[in-house]
Amino acid sequence: MDLVSHLLNSLFVMASLVEARDPYTGGHLWRVSQLSYLMAQDMELPAEAVSQITLGGFLHDLGKIGVPDAILHKAGPLTDEEYTVIRTHPEIGAKLLGNHPLAFLAMDAVSLHHETPDGKGYPHGLIAADIPLAAKIVGIADAFDAMTSTRPYRQGMPIAKALDIIAEKLGTQFDTELGERFIRMGKTGVFDEVVGHSEPGVRLQACPSCGPIIAIPRKTRSGAVIACPACRSRLKVFGNHEDWLLTPLNEKETAPPLQLDPDLVRAMAVTIRNGLGESVAVAA
């Protein structure tokens, strides 16, 4: 493994810590990265740009490492004060990423994915022309996944409804041209294998108490014991990824379970490394 691959792996490990701390977003980083990848591919961007945007999608929430557990773990809607704290995560992410040799690959997505064309986004209130392409793409993907994902206090929206909301906010929250492209893609069904999944072909599973937030790694076999990342209830799984049955054991896990399959993370790092080619050799 070359130096660039090692450095990419370190970025993926950093991002994985976010999902280890945030119990309600199992697979969110993978889904946002895949939605971003699909859009970059549809735009026929160069391979290097596609890889950077995919990486940015995976790392975009890096700054949530600095958000208190009481806010990340809250089962209900956030108060205004808590939302103010959440809004600091792009700047925290930029600081965490800043000294990494490959920071330039993902900085736009990490620090600017909540900027909006109307200038009402954060942290800088940039207007449309000043928001980088990667940040615009990841911002759409992030919002779409948030709308279509289930939380303890609300059900995830159907894809069609989420696309309608994006359409209503073109030019204000979302870039018009990119948003229209995303909507067209969504209507073809290309996002169906991403929404509600934690990796290719692997659907999120539902905790009896917390809803569909459990990311079961592909290598899991029938009879294994897993834990819900939110309530930490231990569950025995039977069947396979086509039809899991989760049985509560009336026991609690003491440590938060990992939500990202290490094999998936390694595979993504290899794919991105291949797409970047020799363009990062000097920077590393």
Side-chain angles (χ1 to χ4, degrees):
M1 184 181 291
D2 64 12
L3 175 59
V4 173
S5 297
H6 279 294
L7 291 171
L8 281 172
N9 280 340
S10 70
L11 288 175
F12 275 93
V13 170
M14 290 169 65
S16 298
L17 295 175
V18 174
E19 288 210 352
R21 291 191 62 234
D22 192 343
Y24 299 116
T25 58
H28 173 66
L29 302 185
W30 175 79
R31 290 191 297 276
V32 173
S33 72
Q34 290 304 295
L35 293 166
S36 301
Y37 163 80
L38 289 169
M39 193 165 178
Q41 283 280 77
D42 189 73
M43 295 173 69
E44 299 183 348
L45 297 176
E48 293 174 14
V50 173
S51 291
Q52 287 191 39
I53 290 167
T54 305
L55 178 64
F58 197 86
L59 299 180
H60 75 283
D61 271 346
L62 184 62
K64 286 187 177 178
I65 292 175
V67 175
D69 283 348
I71 295 177
L72 283 182
H73 296 181
K74 188 174 181 180
L78 300 178
T79 65
D80 290 344
E81 292 78 10
E82 290 165 339
Y83 185 60
T84 297
V85 174
I86 281 286
R87 283 166 60 103
T88 65
H89 77 270
E91 293 175 291
I92 296 172
K95 290 177 181 177
L96 290 172
L97 189 61
N99 293 325
H100 195 282
L102 300 183
F104 69 97
L105 294 175
M107 185 60 78
D108 286 346
V110 170
S111 61
L112 304 175
H113 65 281
H114 282 293
E115 300 289 350
T116 59
D118 60 6
K120 296 181 181 180
Y122 61 90
H124 305 300
L126 300 180
I127 60 173
D130 296 327
I131 304 172
L133 177 63
K136 292 177 181 178
I137 291 175
V138 172
I140 294 172
D142 184 34
F144 176 77
D145 187 63
M147 288 187 281
T148 54
S149 295
T150 295
R151 298 289 182 269
Y153 53 89
R154 62 157 174 83
Q155 284 292 116
M157 297 178 189
I159 289 175
K161 183 176 180 180
L163 295 176
D164 286 343
I165 290 176
I166 291 175
E168 292 170 3
K169 297 184 178 182
L170 293 177
T172 54
Q173 184 174 347
F174 306 112
D175 178 87
T176 299
E177 182 179 350
L178 295 175
E180 288 175 345
R181 180 184 292 269
F182 191 89
I183 292 166
R184 288 197 302 271
M185 293 176 65
K187 289 181 177 179
T188 69
V190 70
F191 301 146
D192 293 0
E193 294 302 311
V194 177
V195 173
H197 291 69
S198 58
E199 57 181 285
V202 179
R203 294 196 62 84
L204 286 169
Q205 298 299 310
C207 169
S209 301
C210 307
I213 62 171
I214 301 178
I216 299 182
R218 184 180 300 278
K219 60 187 176 184
T220 303
R221 297 292 179 263
S222 185
V225 175
I226 62 170
C228 171
C231 67
R232 298 193 184 179
S233 297
R234 300 187 81 200
L235 307 159
K236 196 163 188 176
V237 299
F238 298 97
N240 54 54
H241 284 292
E242 298 298 322
D243 186 24
W244 282 122
L245 172 66
L246 277 60
T247 304
L249 295 178
N250 297 319
E251 302 170 357
K252 295 287 186 179
E253 193 71 42
T254 56
L258 292 177
Q259 298 194 75
L260 282 168
D261 185 347
D263 292 338
L264 173 67
V265 172
R266 282 191 290 269
M268 290 187 65
V270 169
T271 299
I272 289 174
R273 175 66 183 94
N274 290 341
L276 293 171
E278 297 304 315
S279 64
V280 294
V282 176

